[in-house]
Amino acid sequence: MKIRFCLNGKNLEIETRPDRRVVDLMREDLGLTGTKESCGSGECGSCTILVDGQARLSCIMLAAQLEGRSVTTIEGISGEEGLHPLQEAFIAHGAVQCGYCTPGMVLTSLALLGRKPCPTRKEIREAISGNLCRCTGYQKIVDAVKTFASERKVYQR
Amino acid sequence: MKDTPLEIGRAAPRFDAYAKLTGKEKYASDFYAPDMLWAGVKRAGVPHARIRWIKTDDAIRIPGVLSVLTSKDVRGTNRQGVVRKDQPVLADDKVRHCGDPLALVVAEDRETLAKALASISLDIEPLPGVFDPENAMAQGAPLVHEENPEGNLLLKGSLEAGMGEKGFEECDETVEALFRLPSQEHAYLETEAGWAIFKDDILEITASTQSPFRDRYEAAEAIGFDMHKVRIIAPYCGGAFGGKDGITVQSLLGLAALNNPGRPVKMWWAREESILASAKRHPARLYYKLGAKKDGIFHALSVRIYFDTGPYDNLGGAVTALGLEHSGGPYRIPNTSLKAWAVFTNNPIGGPFRGFGVPQVTAAMEQTVDMMAKSLGISPLDIRVKNALRRGDRNPAGTTLTGSTGIGECLRKISASRLWQESETWKKASPPFKKRGAGLASAMQGMGYGPLIPDTANAKIELTQEGLFRVFCGVVDMGQGNASTYLQIAGEILNQGLSGMELVLPDTARTLPSGSSSASRTTFTYGNALITASKTMKKRLLERASDLLMAKGPEEMTLVPGRVRHIPSGKEMPLSALAGILSDAERTSVARYRTPSAKDSPTRDPNLSLHGIPHIVFSYAAHAAFVEVDTLTGLTEVKGFLAVTDCGRVLNPQIFEQQIQGGIAQGLGYALCEELKTDRGVIRTPDLGTYIIPTSIDLPDMESAAVELHEEMGPFGLKGAGEIAMNGPFAAVANAIADACGIRIFEGPMTPERVLGALEKKPSCQEEG
């Protein structure tokens, strides 16, 4: 079937099977391999994408569910002018190790910041608790999100 | 900022962070091509069986299926392994664990692959299995490898010092315990993955691996193909932690590609397949007996350790030997009798995992130390400080410590910390129905392969025509950031910033053999080689530039970012211009480094030396855990954690802290929630919904400090930091729970069920002291 949605700011019409997993659509069909897959069953958060600003797990979503939606993947976060300041904060705070959970972590954090601009450390920890990381122990990720949120005015200048 | 010269000791952003954060980094699992094939494996599903027949006819008739291969199609030895080659690429005579692969299918797409795999039927004769390491050594136990002259024994090791067991006769106090440690799953987020292509007579395999150079000959021999025509490429891993130290998909991919020339073939294990088939931390049973004098000075230690290695070696012998060598901890104990067994069973494969046998023995030893402290009425901190190893001492394995030995400093720093100082007040303020406690653990971790296997790295650096320094990274960066540290080392010596450097990731056709990314050796060994290569490069560049600029000599010259400068005149030459003048040979510098080995011979057993005993360089750590136990539910929460580490000089404080925090996190998972459950060889925690690793709400903010003693042999004074932090958390938490509630849980992990069970039994046998 034909599916129309907005992907990383661009309107798109694609022909695909309605039951195609969104993670396969992104990675295999559209070449957006920044969306990772790790468990295939909604347990780890590696495949997180933003659908209308909400963090969603693309490994348990089907293509038809994207109809008319606005989708953001990690590739759509940084613009022509460079990295998103949250990505800068991840670098500055050493929040990236193997990097496999990183795209999902960034997107889940952005969804949190969208609904709660100044979260506490506890709120950040709760928000990313569906995103597993095996390298960092999460602390530096929390540091990055917290610092970004606190210094947002500086970033947004 | 990217031009700022990199400096040793200063936090620098990781080179790989940008590409990983933007999704641009291509991991082994990220390859797709229009003509790509998918390969997958039919696995046994039973723990022990004789294979009669594998029925593949239905599978091969499915449209879109290109190959269905069994052991009969494997032309080589069909055996893989680092020390003992006993693991088949495709099982031939027998199934030895549920994850054994029986048939390899190559298909046009994933749906067809799944259909084909489901259509393969197995005619197998179940055999009685063996699932307990001590039972496995009994007379008449079913044999995992009938041809093994030692039955189900893989390796037996014994180290004795002083009077051995006789030392207990001179002790005033003795404590004894049996500890049971669970199997732990690596749970790297990128499951085993890769792709291969056989083209122009070259078999090219890109895999998520820690050991490309070793994989090359191991896979070539197993599948019967000329090693010199095999190329292994190793991108950044999406985590590995030891689980990719050796063959996972490589041989299977090679086989698939050789049978389908000219087309790329991809294999990517699902999470359930990864948990089923991959190696895990060895479950262990440890019998500890510690003797001391009245004043708390340790006098004798007797240890018997059983490691369940599952059906294959998979470095299980080496893991066991390292556990044995570390079983007495960082203490002076004059009389020791240390024994360990690695035993074959039909359980999941035991293999390398961060700490490599040391987390198990540290969990046991450090609890035994606390039990002794309690018996003698000495504080856990004092008893550790009293017995802590110093440079020049022999460690419990009998090795003279000639290098930096900072465990005493680590403990003193814990003692002086705010967290420790305030812990009594904090404990008293526990909320209703909760009890708070603080617990300590010391730890050590040897570095490198030990005396026999050459622990060698070959570094290469090139000045490109564009004037950039290209570092050929010979050791995989599985996420720990060693590749960035290599750039930092070269940048420091050549006075360049990140923008002046390039990196080539491990590739058997481009980089030089430098061993595996393991054993806390990665920065130590390759770093030392790179220092020499970079200094040679610098010397040549300054000499040639000095001649070209008519200077008096190279002492008048210096490297600045992107350029070389004649200091007296201020004249500068871009590195690109210099590169244009130099010959290819002059633009490249290579150097080799081998880690020295200890001069003691604590063992006359050549097999133990082969498996790595003894080591000469050790990192040390002292950990303190602060826990709150809910007496109604048994839930233990870690409220604070402090790690003080001696891993020599810290080259990049941020990367150091990443390693420490990450190690603590895995250690806390090991202590509190991670347990790979099996029932007669069948895994009962097959996915991430049942095998629970810590999430962001399960872990506290951790504090980390370094005792920066200079290690003479280390690059800029460094010792390895990758594993040490994994070792302490289990015992620190166990000791904190004992401190809080007066109970000790002798079987890990310390789940709410076990804690509650111990709390309920408290008035009787479980109570301590």
Side-chain angles (χ1 to χ4, degrees):
Chain A
M1 69 180 279
K2 270 199 171 55
I3 296 173
R4 280 163 299 264
F5 63 104
C6 175
L7 177 62
N8 295 331
K10 285 185 190 130
N11 288 321
L12 204 67
E13 185 180 287
I14 53 162
E15 182 66 42
T16 186
R17 273 178 19 208
D19 64 347
R20 182 98 170 129
R21 296 190 315 161
V22 171
V23 67
D24 297 329
L25 188 70
M26 293 299 154
R27 290 177 55 83
E28 225 173 317
D29 306 346
L30 298 168
L32 299 175
T33 55
T35 302
K36 302 301 181 195
E37 182 177 355
S38 175
C39 74
S41 53
E43 288 156 358
C44 76
S46 302
C47 66
T48 303
I49 56 172
L50 297 183
V51 179
D52 294 339
Q54 306 277 321
R56 290 288 176 260
L57 302 174
S58 63
C59 79
I60 48 171
M61 262 190 109
L62 302 178
Q65 291 175 281
L66 295 184
E67 177 64 37
R69 306 281 180 169
S70 171
V71 175
T72 308
T73 68
I74 193 67
E75 289 87 351
I77 294 302
S78 44
E80 296 291 310
E81 63 281 7
L83 291 177
H84 186 284
L86 180 62
Q87 291 171 313
E88 298 277 11
F90 267 61
I91 295 181
H93 287 273
V96 180
Q97 291 194 30
C98 92
Y100 211 75
C101 75
T102 304
M105 284 289 182
V106 169
L107 292 165
T108 302
S109 303
L110 281 175
L112 165 71
L113 294 162
R115 61 180 189 268
K116 195 150 190 110
C118 288
T120 62
R121 286 184 77 85
K122 188 163 177 278
E123 285 165 340
I124 296 167
R125 282 186 178 276
E126 278 163 7
I128 62 168
S129 65
N131 292 68
L132 295 177
C133 169
R134 192 55 158 166
C135 295
T136 65
Y138 306 100
Q139 189 163 333
K140 291 184 181 298
I141 297 171
V142 179
D143 292 345
V145 179
K146 181 68 190 160
T147 310
F148 165 74
S150 316
E151 295 175 2
R152 209 172 202 185
K153 284 190 187 121
V154 183
Y155 283 120
Q156 280 178 341
R157 70 179 176 264
Chain B
M1 188 179 116
K2 283 191 152 187
D3 279 338
T4 315
L6 292 160
E7 273 180 280
I8 293 299
R10 206 180 57 195
R14 281 175 57 154
F15 184 75
D16 53 345
Y18 175 86
K20 287 175 174 178
L21 266 160
T22 48
K24 292 193 173 83
E25 189 61 50
K26 294 287 178 197
Y27 297 81
S29 53
D30 287 336
F31 176 81
Y32 296 92
D35 61 341
M36 188 180 83
L37 302 170
W38 283 87
V41 165
K42 176 80 177 178
R43 298 192 183 272
V46 293
H48 199 198
R50 195 158 301 286
I51 302 168
R52 287 204 202 103
W53 182 252
I54 303 169
K55 194 168 172 296
T56 57
D57 338 7
D58 293 343
I60 196 71
R61 277 198 291 266
I62 296 174
V65 171
L66 286 101
S67 316
V68 183
L69 307 168
T70 65
S71 63
K72 294 186 186 74
D73 304 295
V74 182
R75 293 204 190 135
T77 59
N78 193 25
R79 286 296 179 274
Q80 308 162 110
V82 177
V83 180
R84 191 185 290 211
K85 297 189 187 303
D86 58 3
Q87 183 170 0
V89 179
L90 289 170
D92 32 37
D93 55 338
K94 263 176 68 165
V95 166
R96 295 184 184 83
H97 81 122
C98 291
D100 262 341
L102 274 77
L104 172 69
V105 177
V106 183
E108 290 284 353
D109 54 66
R110 273 195 278 186
E111 287 74 20
T112 311
L113 176 65
K115 211 166 29 157
L117 288 171
S119 76
I120 296 173
S121 54
L122 307 173
D123 179 6
I124 51 179
E125 173 195 343
L127 295 170
V130 57
F131 307 105
D132 178 282
E134 284 184 272
N135 294 347
M137 290 199 296
Q139 279 284 326
L143 294 175
V144 180
H145 298 272
E146 284 83 356
E147 68 287 0
N148 186 23
E150 295 178 290
N152 285 326
L153 185 68
L154 166 64
L155 179 83
K156 179 182 168 186
S158 169
L159 296 172
E160 193 142 318
M163 297 187 292
E165 294 274 355
K166 277 210 161 77
F168 285 99
E169 292 168 15
E170 299 177 353
C171 293
D172 298 317
E173 187 65 43
T174 301
V175 292
E176 277 185 78
L178 161 62
F179 301 92
R180 291 164 196 267
L181 277 300
S183 174
Q184 186 181 24
E185 171 67 28
H186 297 83
Y188 21 74
L189 285 186
E190 184 195 31
T191 54
E192 295 76 359
W195 65 278
I197 185 163
F198 179 48
K199 206 173 152 186
D200 305 327
D201 211 27
I202 297 290
L203 175 60
E204 185 186 300
I205 304 171
T206 302
S208 190
T209 175
Q210 291 170 243
S211 46
F213 287 91
R214 198 213 290 138
D215 297 349
R216 187 184 183 207
Y217 74 76
E218 205 181 320
E221 188 183 61
I223 62 175
F225 191 73
D226 182 358
M227 177 186 125
H228 302 289
K229 294 180 182 167
V230 178
R231 174 182 184 183
I232 310 263
I233 299 169
Y236 289 117
C237 299
F241 316 113
K244 296 172 183 170
D245 185 4
I247 300 282
T248 58
V249 296
Q250 295 86 323
S251 302
L252 292 164
L253 274 173
L255 201 56
L258 287 176
N259 279 277
N260 295 278
R263 291 185 71 176
V265 189
K266 177 169 179 161
M267 176 179 271
W268 189 7
W269 294 359
R271 175 60 58 187
E272 291 76 5
E273 184 174 20
S274 171
I275 292 181
L276 173 66
S278 70
K280 290 125 196 25
R281 188 182 305 290
H282 290 76
R285 196 169 300 167
L286 310 102
Y287 295 85
Y288 265 70
K289 182 177 168 190
L290 176 65
K293 299 285 195 181
K294 267 199 292 280
D295 57 0
I297 300 294
F298 297 158
H299 195 65
L301 176 70
S302 161
V303 168
R304 283 183 295 132
I305 309 162
Y306 298 91
F307 275 23
D308 176 351
T309 201
Y312 303 116
D313 179 338
N314 209 294
L315 285 169
V319 167
T320 304
L322 199 75
L324 175 68
E325 187 183 2
H326 289 68
S327 59
Y331 303 110
R332 273 183 310 282
I333 312 177
N335 307 296
T336 54
S337 170
L338 316 173
K339 293 186 167 66
W341 293 261
V343 188
F344 289 123
T345 67
N346 298 111
N347 286 325
I349 308 167
F353 190 166
R354 195 182 209 161
F356 210 78
V358 184
Q360 291 95 321
V361 297
T362 310
M365 179 65 190
E366 289 301 310
Q367 293 194 70
T368 310
V369 167
D370 258 42
M371 290 162 67
M372 177 59 82
K374 185 143 191 161
S375 286
L376 291 169
I378 300 174
S379 86
L381 183 65
D382 290 345
I383 203 166
R384 286 181 170 81
V385 171
K386 252 178 217 266
N387 291 286
L389 286 168
R390 292 179 296 241
R391 186 193 284 248
D393 287 339
R394 281 195 194 86
N395 69 17
T399 309
T400 306
L401 299 170
T402 55
S404 60
T405 308
I407 182 61
E409 282 82 346
C410 290
L411 287 162
R412 278 185 281 277
K413 222 163 172 162
I414 292 261
S415 166
S417 69
R418 183 190 51 81
L419 271 174
W420 191 256
Q421 296 277 330
E422 293 172 359
S423 67
E424 285 308 315
T425 322
W426 177 77
K427 285 194 284 190
K428 284 190 190 108
S430 64
F433 303 109
K434 298 206 175 177
K435 289 190 171 180
R436 287 175 171 179
L440 283 179
S442 305
M444 62 178 186
Q445 185 81 44
M447 218 145 297
Y449 298 157
L452 289 188
I453 312 288
D455 193 354
T456 309
N458 292 285
K460 177 177 169 184
I461 185 165
E462 177 190 348
L463 176 65
T464 67
Q465 294 288 2
E466 295 73 36
L468 302 174
F469 289 103
R470 183 180 287 158
V471 174
F472 291 78
C473 170
V475 196
V476 169
D477 187 334
M478 56 176 148
Q480 76 270 51
N482 51 303
S484 293
T485 305
Y486 299 157
L487 294 182
Q488 197 180 4
I489 287 173
E492 157 88 27
I493 294 167
L494 298 160
N495 200 28
Q496 301 298 311
L498 273 182
S499 60
M501 323 266 294
E502 279 185 5
L503 189 67
V504 176
L505 291 179
D507 175 344
T508 58
R510 297 185 72 194
T511 64
L512 302 176
S514 297
S516 54
S517 183
S518 64
S520 296
R521 67 179 290 278
T522 309
T523 304
F524 189 92
T525 316
Y526 189 87
N528 270 322
L530 183 60
I531 286 175
T532 310
S534 302
K535 283 183 173 170
T536 308
M537 168 70 76
K538 179 179 178 180
K539 183 166 178 282
R540 179 174 304 125
L541 296 183
L542 295 185
E543 284 171 353
R544 292 289 268 120
S546 127
D547 294 346
L548 288 164
L549 293 175
M550 311 284 279
K552 283 187 183 138
E555 65 281 358
E556 290 188 349
M557 311 298 300
T558 192
L559 285 166
V560 293
R563 298 180 305 282
V564 57
R565 179 183 298 160
H566 180 236
I567 301 169
S569 67
K571 266 194 280 182
E572 289 188 353
M573 184 179 195
L575 286 172
S576 53
L578 182 56
I581 292 163
L582 300 182
S583 72
D584 288 355
E586 286 176 302
R587 289 189 296 104
T588 307
S589 168
V590 298
R592 172 256 192 198
Y593 176 82
R594 178 171 177 177
T595 302
S597 57
K599 304 298 171 236
D600 309 81
S601 309
T603 173
R604 281 197 214 96
D605 181 351
N607 204 24
L608 276 190
S609 314
L610 175 69
H611 284 84
I613 295 178
H615 288 78
I616 188 169
V617 181
F618 293 87
S619 290
Y620 298 90
H623 286 185
F626 303 88
V627 308
E628 192 172 279
V629 181
D630 187 323
T631 56
L632 299 178
T633 64
L635 180 74
T636 303
E637 281 183 276
V638 181
K639 293 291 189 183
F641 201 97
L642 169 62
V644 183
T645 312
D646 161 29
C647 60
R649 182 156 179 222
V650 173
L651 303 196
N652 181 336
Q654 194 175 71
I655 290 183
F656 164 73
E657 227 172 60
Q658 289 182 335
Q659 283 305 300
I660 302 306
Q661 292 179 356
I664 295 169
Q666 286 178 354
L668 291 177
Y670 187 47
L672 290 168
C673 58
E674 293 185 40
E675 183 173 21
L676 188 96
K677 290 186 185 161
T678 56
D679 177 10
R680 300 186 65 76
V682 178
I683 294 174
R684 295 299 184 201
T685 50
D687 50 36
L688 293 178
T690 49
Y691 183 87
I692 305 299
I693 67 169
T695 71
S696 51
I697 48 174
D698 302 320
L699 296 172
D701 278 333
M702 303 163 251
E703 289 187 24
S704 160
V707 170
E708 292 202 56
L709 302 183
H710 182 89
E711 169 53 50
E712 215 178 306
M713 282 184 272
F716 297 100
L718 160 145
K719 298 190 282 190
E723 295 176 282
I724 181 78
M726 176 72 218
N727 300 329
F730 191 107
V733 168
N735 290 337
I737 293 174
D739 182 47
C741 312
I743 54 165
R744 191 165 288 284
I745 323 292
F746 292 94
E747 183 172 7
M750 294 164 276
T751 55
E753 292 87 341
R754 290 199 177 105
V755 171
L756 207 55
L759 282 171
E760 281 166 4
K761 277 192 220 148
K762 193 179 162 186
S764 60
C765 58
Q766 289 281 343
E767 187 166 12
E768 248 203 305

